[in-house]
Amino acid sequence: MTATVVPDHRARGLEDFSDLADGTVGGLLAARAAAHPDKPALVFEDTVLTYSALDRSVTDMARGLLSTGAAPGSSVGIFLPNRPEYLLAWLGAARAGLVEVPINIAYKGPFLDHALGSTGVRVLVTDAALLELVADLPDIPPTLETVVLVGPDRPGRVPPGVMVRTWSDLLAAGGTATELPHVAPCDPVAIMLTSGTTGRSKGVVQSHMMHLVAGRECATQMATAADERLYTCLPLFHGAAQINITLHGFYAGATVVLGRRFSASRFWDELRTHRVTQFNALGSMLPVLLAQPPSDRDRDHQVTKVFAAPAPPQVLYPFEERYGVQIVEGYGLTEIKNVLYNPLSARKVGSLGLPTESSVLEIHDESGMRAAPGQAGEIVYRPRLADIMFSGYHRDPEATLATMKDLWWHTGDLGYTDEDGYFYFVDRKKDALRRRGENISSHEVESVLLAYPGIVAAAAVGTPSPLGEDEVLAVVQPEAGHELELAELFAHCDRSMPHFMVPRYYRIVDQLPVTPNGKVRKHQLRDQGRTDAWDALSAGLRPTRHT
């Protein structure tokens, strides 16, 4: 392994950004192309793009997107599964001063409408199959003007009033000498949709500098070298793939290997084929891989490190022993990036780790005072630098202000520290759920449940899953005398929401437990667990996925 190219910014001081080129995503890529023009930057199955080829294609894409009439600051939605065109659209938008809106390919109906409409998407990059879901919308968001179609398939239907351009036509248009705008480190680069607890998903506005510092800190914490090959099969519409692997890899001058999707049976073979040295994983991936039949090839690979959400010791130690890797745990939120890492050396298994150099974190009690070591309270955050946390929720200043108190950003998560300053997670203070790496708004699930005839009250809560994170339990209160058919309720949920949000468990109650002011006592529902709940999986029902 060669010496790492990741600069030690801690030795230089936090104000030195010379390793981040001009402080923009496009500038970082251009710098790596100048330094390593013939080095593979991106590998996807049989496709290999060098840094120079990637840089040229990104410039053509930037010019092509501007040729649609989109102006700097306009939103570009990307509604695609993992493929190289996703990266080109994302990086091209960044170089053009446009703002990426990553859209989960499980979205449909009101979820897709909200994703497009609330962020003001003007240009949408998608494929023919997913464009059908856009065409299904009762009303096309008025801001949407252009669809860029990826792939050879022709759409069966085109949304009315929308111009459709092919990917090749857009690249050809980008070959002209369209002047690219100046982009600043503080400019927005993405609006990431995240789930709230009291309303619709909010758009988290992130800057170029936030993305670059997040990538740099991940590379520093993982001690990533320039000759490494970083793999992700997580969806590119999530920051885990975009930042924790892709920008992390580009910052280090390494090679990024992109997989289509997670397959436990093919996982290690794919890593062997591409000589992968690092990958990232959702918490649920690790127990799934452990459940595969043991093989004499379990250590026949080049992987040394895995970045993952905190894993329980009963998963972490067996995984490391079987596969010969080290798991690096971390903690972050869409609004503030990754801010805690369990260090490669002196780690404490079960902890979230220590703050990054740009992060200040504390545990506060209910009165807002700093809690003593061992005392549980809310995890709160402050940045040490400008422009490295979100600038606010898109067009929602009230929601932005609601997360700030006493000049601290409040995570809504409960935790504690030990005497050495390591942070530990206790529970979620808010009602957002997390399932298979997806954040879920309980409010949105409940809205779908309440739309079903005969249901007068509903609550969605998390219930522990053997794969880690949560399964969703729906507790519903029907009208007096109304008989509910739970298989039909499941089908209603499957038609109306993304597959990862569809509850697996359902319980019917005569009356939901409520507080004196009418709020549902969700802690009571969680404490009751899923005893006597109807299990859709045991009934042979699974949510429908888009492929």
Side-chain angles (χ1 to χ4, degrees):
M1 191 72 71
T2 61
T4 179
V5 300
V6 179
D8 186 354
H9 62 279
R10 291 170 293 185
R12 295 195 318 271
L14 285 169
E15 299 298 334
D16 186 352
F17 296 125
S18 59
D19 57 311
L20 298 181
D22 64 357
T24 70
V25 170
L28 178 69
L29 181 59
R32 295 299 174 261
H36 314 289
D38 300 322
K39 182 173 184 178
L42 175 67
V43 176
F44 177 79
E45 297 174 348
D46 296 329
T47 299
V48 179
L49 289 175
T50 64
Y51 271 101
S52 59
L54 179 61
D55 188 56
R56 287 193 301 271
S57 295
V58 165
T59 294
D60 288 345
M61 177 52 54
R63 290 173 171 160
L65 289 169
L66 290 173
S67 76
T68 67
S74 297
S75 296
V76 176
I78 308 180
F79 191 36
L80 286 172
N82 282 7
R83 55 189 301 165
E85 290 89 346
Y86 195 116
L87 267 77
L88 295 178
W90 156 40
L91 297 170
R95 180 161 288 172
L98 304 171
V99 183
E100 176 213 12
V101 179
I103 301 175
N104 193 318
I105 61 171
Y107 280 3
K108 54 192 172 185
F111 298 91
L112 178 57
D113 180 69
H114 177 69
L116 295 170
S118 68
T119 59
V121 167
R122 180 168 180 174
V123 179
L124 179 66
V125 183
T126 189
D127 61 25
L130 292 170
L131 185 57
E132 292 283 332
L133 298 175
V134 180
D136 282 339
L137 297 178
D139 297 298
I140 304 303
T143 56
L144 182 60
E145 297 177 348
T146 304
V147 167
V148 179
L149 203 61
V150 176
D153 297 333
R154 300 297 92 192
R157 291 175 297 147
V158 174
V162 174
M163 176 182 293
V164 176
R165 299 179 65 175
T166 67
W167 181 263
S168 57
D169 286 347
L170 198 73
L171 283 178
T176 61
T178 304
E179 184 176 354
L180 295 177
H182 171 72
V183 181
C186 61
D187 287 344
V189 70
I191 301 174
M192 296 274 189
L193 291 165
T194 187
S195 293
T197 61
T198 59
R200 305 294 296 273
S201 298
K202 297 186 287 292
V204 177
V205 182
Q206 302 174 331
S207 71
H208 284 257
M209 184 58 76
M210 178 180 178
H211 277 208
L212 293 192
V213 171
R216 173 170 73 174
E217 290 184 337
C218 194
T220 301
Q221 296 291 334
M222 299 296 288
T224 302
D227 62 353
E228 292 206 57
R229 297 169 72 87
L230 281 58
Y231 172 86
T232 188
C233 58
L234 303 182
L236 282 169
F237 50 75
H238 279 181
Q242 278 199 21
I243 297 173
N244 297 346
I245 290 293
T246 307
L247 282 181
H248 161 191
F250 291 165
Y251 172 80
T255 299
V256 174
V257 180
L258 179 65
R260 282 190 184 272
R261 62 182 68 85
F262 175 62
S263 167
S265 61
R266 298 192 301 268
F267 186 80
W268 290 107
D269 284 339
E270 189 170 1
L271 269 56
R272 293 183 191 104
T273 297
H274 293 296
R275 308 186 309 282
V276 169
T277 60
Q278 289 186 39
F279 69 86
N280 67 339
L282 301 176
S284 58
M285 286 172 59
L286 303 182
V288 168
L289 290 170
L290 269 177
Q292 295 298 297
S295 166
D296 56 8
R297 300 195 68 192
D298 280 344
R299 290 196 172 205
D300 178 18
H301 56 76
Q302 298 181 43
V303 177
T304 59
K305 291 166 284 188
V306 179
F307 179 64
Q314 61 269 30
V315 171
L316 184 143
Y317 287 126
F319 193 95
E320 291 186 335
E321 175 62 26
R322 176 173 170 179
Y323 295 110
V325 300
Q326 180 172 347
I327 295 173
V328 179
E329 302 165 284
Y331 169 86
L333 295 166
T334 308
E335 292 88 344
I336 58 175
K337 67 180 176 52
N338 287 340
V339 293
L340 292 165
Y341 286 87
N342 216 343
L344 283 166
S345 58
R347 72 175 181 177
K348 293 189 177 183
V349 173
S351 83
L352 302 172
L354 299 168
T356 66
E357 281 294 309
S358 69
S359 305
V360 180
L361 289 105
E362 292 182 357
I363 304 293
H364 285 188
D365 62 21
E366 292 185 358
S367 63
M369 301 298 293
R370 186 173 183 176
Q375 179 184 353
E378 185 175 9
I379 302 172
V380 296
Y381 163 83
R382 281 178 182 165
R384 294 185 184 274
L385 303 169
D387 302 317
I388 65 167
M389 67 177 290
F390 83 133
S391 60
Y393 294 116
H394 184 61
R395 298 176 181 171
D396 198 345
E398 292 83 4
T400 304
L401 288 173
T403 64
M404 301 294 298
K405 184 180 180 182
D406 299 329
L407 300 181
W408 290 92
W409 192 79
H410 288 246
T411 68
D413 288 335
L414 301 176
Y416 65 94
T417 60
D418 64 15
E419 295 288 348
D420 298 319
Y422 285 72
F423 281 72
Y424 295 79
F425 179 79
V426 174
D427 201 356
R428 291 185 179 85
K429 186 177 181 180
K430 46 193 177 181
D431 289 329
L433 313 175
R434 188 166 177 85
R435 182 189 198 190
R436 307 294 192 273
E438 301 281 358
N439 291 322
I440 300 172
S441 166
S442 60
H443 172 84
E444 291 181 331
V445 175
E446 289 156 6
S447 296
V448 172
L449 293 168
L450 288 168
Y452 188 77
I455 292 180
V456 296
V461 298
T463 183
S465 164
L467 298 180
E469 300 182 330
D470 295 314
E471 290 287 353
V472 181
L473 166 65
V475 184
V476 296
Q477 177 183 327
E479 295 175 355
H482 187 89
E483 294 289 331
L484 284 179
E485 173 52 53
L486 292 179
E488 293 180 3
L489 177 58
F490 174 89
H492 162 77
C493 292
D494 188 33
R495 288 191 300 269
S496 307
M497 64 178 80
H499 65 86
F500 60 83
M501 295 178 68
V502 177
R504 173 178 171 179
Y505 297 99
Y506 298 77
R507 178 188 296 121
I508 299 173
V509 296
D510 293 330
Q511 179 72 47
L512 285 173
V514 295
T515 64
N517 61 1
K519 292 186 177 181
V520 177
R521 298 183 185 271
K522 291 192 173 181
H523 67 90
Q524 186 173 329
L525 299 177
R526 284 190 288 266
D527 291 344
Q528 291 171 353
R530 53 180 183 261
T531 304
D532 299 325
W534 180 79
D535 181 0
L537 186 60
S538 296
L541 299 176
R542 294 177 181 272
T544 303
R545 292 171 177 260
H546 301 318
T547 58

